[in-house]
């Protein structure tokens, strides 16, 4: 009938939308693999840096600007992702929200 949409065309639209969602999710995930600078003596977050470009690998032993560096590396040494973007984390650091430091410390120790 006039104005009816065939089920096959709706399924295609749904599939296309799912593909776009997956592409968007991959971009977000890639942007959440970034280093965080920590003042180890004060046990304080300093700053979240820019995400590492894919497929570069981090130097897990490096210090940046004299600070210890934390990466989202799992206990099995596979690459993880932070739950927050670097800009969101930096906003929280600027507001001096101490519980985020606890979260990062738990991540470092496989928590």
């Amino acid at each position: 009938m006039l104005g009816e949409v065939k089920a096959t065309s709706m399924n295609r639209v749904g599939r296309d939308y799912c593909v776009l969602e997956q592409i968007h999710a991959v971009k977000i995930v890639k942007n959440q693999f970034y280093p965080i600078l920590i003042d180890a003596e004060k046990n304080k977050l300093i700053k979240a840096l820019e995400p590492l470009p894919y497929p570069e690998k981090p130097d897990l032993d490096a210090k940046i600007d004299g600070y210890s560096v934390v990466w989202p590396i799992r206990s099995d040494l596979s690459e993880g992702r932070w739950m927050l973007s670097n800009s969101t984390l930096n906003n929280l650091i600027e507001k001096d929200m101490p519980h985020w430091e606890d979260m990062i410390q738990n991540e470092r120790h496989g928590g």
Side-chain angles (χ1 to χ4, degrees), residues 28 47 70 73:
I28 290 172
K47 183 179 183 180
V70 178
I73 302 294

Side-chain angles (χ1 to χ4, degrees), residues 9-74:
S9 66
M10 287 302 287
N11 289 340
R12 183 175 161 247
V13 169
R15 278 194 312 269
D16 291 348
Y17 181 74
C18 287
V19 168
L20 290 174
E21 276 188 329
Q22 290 171 351
I23 291 169
H24 180 69
V26 167
K27 287 181 182 178
I28 290 172
V29 167
K30 284 184 180 179
N31 286 334
Q32 289 179 252
F33 187 73
Y34 56 85
I36 299 173
L37 303 183
I38 293 184
D39 184 332
E41 291 178 12
K42 296 179 182 176
N43 197 31
K44 184 168 180 59
L45 296 179
I46 302 301
K47 183 179 183 180
L49 300 180
E50 290 300 311
L52 188 67
Y54 182 81
E56 288 184 34
K57 298 293 181 189
D59 180 350
L60 301 178
D61 298 320
K63 288 196 172 215
I64 297 175
D65 296 333
Y67 293 109
S68 298
V69 180
V70 178
W71 291 92
I73 302 294
R74 297 183 183 105

